[in-house]
Amino acid sequence: METWSYIGIITVIFVAFKFVKRLGKGLPILELMLLIAGLQWIVGPIVEYASPSTHWKYYMYVTEVSYMSFVVPAYLIFCLSVFLTIRKKGDFNLNLEVLKNYSSYGLVIFLIGVAFELLGSALPRSLGFLVFILLNFKFVGAIILFYSENKKLKRVFYLAIIYLLLVAISKALFHDFILWSMFFYMFYALKYKPAIRTIVLTFVIGIFFALTLQTVKAAFRMQVWNNYSGNKLELFVNLMMTSLITEETNGPESDDEIGVNVRLNQGWIISAILDNMPKNQDYLNGSTIKDAVFASVLPRFLNPNKAKAGGQENFALFTGLSISEGVSMGISIIGEAYGNFATSGGMIFMGIWGFFLGRVWLFLIRLIRNNVLYIAFIPLIFLQVIKAETELVVVLNHLIKSMIVVMLFFWFVKKQLRWSFNK
């Protein structure tokens, strides 16, 4: 490995240590964000360079030296910026057992989420983002009810995890299940304070499950998305067991060549950007950053040229590669940073982005100290932020507008329903 690769591995290990250390003591969502980024931007590419894929498209487009000499310093600056911004003030230092006093509120929030889950499809598509935020209230409510003294209400927390898994199996989409499961575990750890060895064992089991899932996902989707008429849960279990025994799942031919690491490695897209710009496409000098900022603060009727989520246009522009219609691939924040500002400017941007996220975190900490229920909404607010593959327009739009929706919700229930938060 190259020198920068070693530095990258050390940095990711340090972030992982910070994440595990804060479990049970705080809510390490920013640490989780940095850890996911490190695994997808650095560890995945290192594995790929050590054992190259034979796939015609999903490979590293530049040398390890070229890739790591930008990505590792940019990631390191990103991490330092986050940690230095939230140092000393980044914990909420609250006894979350006080949430047991808000079980009735948690139940209302949970039922709001259930209602929008059932009725959201009947609402206008222009309200899509609002519906998405409100239907996820059911998981926020489940977190609050986890601290309830009523055993029946407390079970909602565990039922929510089962529901997530069943929905994931029915749709053959597992991203939300994995993310919310990690969020739920953070609150579980805050309540029960598991030992470090228990935390490590839990994550070893979780990683094993995730890797096994990656080996069967393509085969499972092929059958489910082709109108599989049998029991999807039984199909899923059978594929998982078959994978554990034979490591063969008979996936579609186009995916047979794609190993687990290729599926998890965001580096191939970043490397394609490094290879394409400025050789075939000039640096964008902040144009997509500006578009993302405007998209996050202005509704579409005030900004008719608002950038769209989905990644199709930016992917082709930044990488020079094409993707099939309906397929979504993100270029990642770090890839977008390079594509706009080149090497040095991209590193500086990652530092600014880390500082911004740190300041948002400190703002939310202040809200939590005034109203402890805000803590249950933090995972929802950061749902898109922690994803390493997502581009800025998606991340910033979700972050800003979800905070606005949550604050408006609390304003409404306090003014109109007379909810009190000083118990």
Side-chain angles (χ1 to χ4, degrees):
M1 291 194 301
E2 299 295 330
T3 301
W4 278 117
S5 298
Y6 283 110
I7 296 173
I9 287 291
I10 292 169
T11 305
V12 174
I13 292 172
F14 174 75
V15 170
F17 170 77
K18 293 275 288 185
F19 173 68
V20 172
K21 186 178 178 182
R22 282 203 66 209
L23 276 171
K25 300 176 183 177
L27 203 64
I29 286 180
L30 291 181
E31 288 86 348
L32 176 62
M33 172 194 71
L34 295 173
L35 179 57
I36 292 173
L39 292 173
Q40 292 195 250
W41 297 348
I42 295 174
V43 176
I46 286 175
V47 173
E48 179 66 20
Y49 281 118
S51 181
S53 167
T54 58
H55 196 276
W56 64 274
K57 186 175 185 179
Y58 306 138
Y59 64 92
M60 301 302 291
Y61 285 75
V62 296
T63 65
E64 185 174 358
V65 174
S66 298
Y67 181 86
M68 293 297 174
S69 61
F70 166 70
V71 172
V72 172
Y75 175 72
L76 185 58
I77 291 170
F78 183 34
C79 294
L80 287 173
S81 182
V82 170
F83 289 139
L84 291 175
T85 303
I86 66 172
R87 72 188 188 285
K88 298 181 181 179
K89 298 180 180 180
D91 279 321
F92 39 84
N93 297 320
L94 292 173
N95 178 14
L96 293 190
E97 291 301 322
V98 71
L99 287 174
K100 67 185 180 184
N101 299 322
Y102 297 97
S103 294
S104 59
Y105 295 172
L107 183 58
V108 171
I109 293 169
F110 173 76
L111 292 175
I112 289 172
V114 172
F116 276 90
E117 178 78 42
L118 297 173
L119 304 174
S121 59
L123 297 174
R125 292 187 63 183
S126 58
L127 298 177
F129 180 81
L130 178 62
V131 170
F132 173 76
I133 294 297
L134 292 176
L135 67 83
N136 275 287
F137 270 34
K138 59 184 176 290
F139 303 126
V140 175
I143 290 170
I144 298 169
L145 293 175
F146 179 54
Y147 289 85
S148 174
E149 292 180 326
N150 185 316
K151 291 183 179 179
K152 291 183 179 179
L153 291 179
K154 190 174 181 177
R155 290 188 189 124
V156 171
F157 179 80
Y158 300 102
L159 291 174
I161 299 174
I162 296 172
Y163 170 80
L164 276 165
L165 179 59
L166 293 177
V167 170
I169 291 173
S170 69
K171 297 181 178 179
L173 296 170
F174 296 89
H175 213 168
D176 284 349
F177 167 71
I178 293 172
L179 291 179
W180 277 107
S181 295
M182 289 189 289
F183 291 143
F184 282 169
Y185 186 74
M186 291 182 191
F187 285 93
Y188 176 89
L190 273 173
K191 184 175 178 64
Y192 292 112
K193 314 293 183 187
I196 292 293
R197 63 183 180 183
T198 304
I199 292 173
V200 173
L201 177 61
T202 301
F203 274 91
V204 169
I205 295 172
I207 290 170
F208 179 75
F209 172 81
L211 292 176
T212 305
L213 176 62
Q214 286 294 329
T215 65
V216 308
K217 192 167 63 175
F220 182 67
R221 282 179 176 173
M222 179 181 68
Q223 297 195 49
V224 171
W225 291 354
N226 282 282
N227 300 317
Y228 179 76
S229 59
N231 187 310
K232 295 177 185 177
L233 177 59
E234 183 179 352
L235 172 65
F236 177 75
V237 172
N238 287 339
L239 286 173
M240 291 286 280
M241 294 303 296
T242 301
S243 175
L244 292 174
I245 296 170
T246 67
E247 297 185 358
E248 294 181 4
T249 56
N250 297 319
E253 183 177 349
S254 61
D255 282 333
D256 274 346
E257 306 169 28
I258 304 178
V260 172
N261 184 62
V262 174
R263 298 180 189 278
L264 299 176
N265 174 25
Q266 181 69 15
W268 78 268
I269 297 177
I270 301 169
S271 71
I273 296 172
L274 295 176
D275 182 56
N276 185 56
M277 304 176 80
K279 182 170 63 178
N280 302 314
Q281 167 66 52
D282 292 336
Y283 295 117
L284 301 179
N285 299 316
S287 64
T288 66
I289 307 300
K290 180 185 69 175
D291 290 344
V293 171
F294 278 111
S296 67
V297 297
L298 293 175
R300 190 169 295 279
F301 72 89
L302 292 178
N303 185 19
N305 296 320
K306 179 178 177 177
K308 295 181 179 179
Q312 288 256 347
E313 293 181 8
N314 277 350
F315 183 87
L317 178 64
F318 278 75
T319 66
L321 305 172
S322 59
I323 52 178
S324 302
E325 187 70 27
V327 175
S328 176
M329 287 188 178
I331 57 174
S332 76
I333 297 290
I334 199 168
E336 193 167 0
Y338 174 83
N340 275 281
F341 305 115
T343 302
S344 299
M347 294 178 189
I348 294 171
F349 176 81
M350 292 305 296
I352 295 171
W353 178 240
F355 173 77
F356 172 76
L357 291 179
R359 296 304 302 180
V360 169
W361 183 260
L362 295 179
F363 170 73
L364 292 171
I365 292 297
R366 290 196 294 271
L367 293 180
I368 293 170
R369 290 186 179 129
N370 292 323
N371 177 357
V372 70
L373 286 188
Y374 268 106
I375 195 168
F377 287 87
I378 299 297
L380 176 57
I381 292 171
F382 278 85
L383 187 61
Q384 294 290 344
V385 181
I386 68 168
K387 297 179 181 180
E389 72 274 15
T390 313
E391 55 200 43
L392 187 64
V393 64
V394 177
V395 173
L396 202 57
N397 188 64
H398 179 93
L399 179 65
I400 299 299
K401 291 183 178 174
S402 62
M403 284 196 296
I404 292 172
V405 170
V406 171
M407 288 188 289
L408 286 175
F409 169 76
F410 277 115
W411 172 85
F412 176 81
V413 296
K414 186 174 182 180
K415 294 293 185 182
Q416 304 301 321
L417 303 183
R418 299 292 188 266
W419 282 17
S420 175
F421 306 107
N422 56 359
K423 296 179 182 179

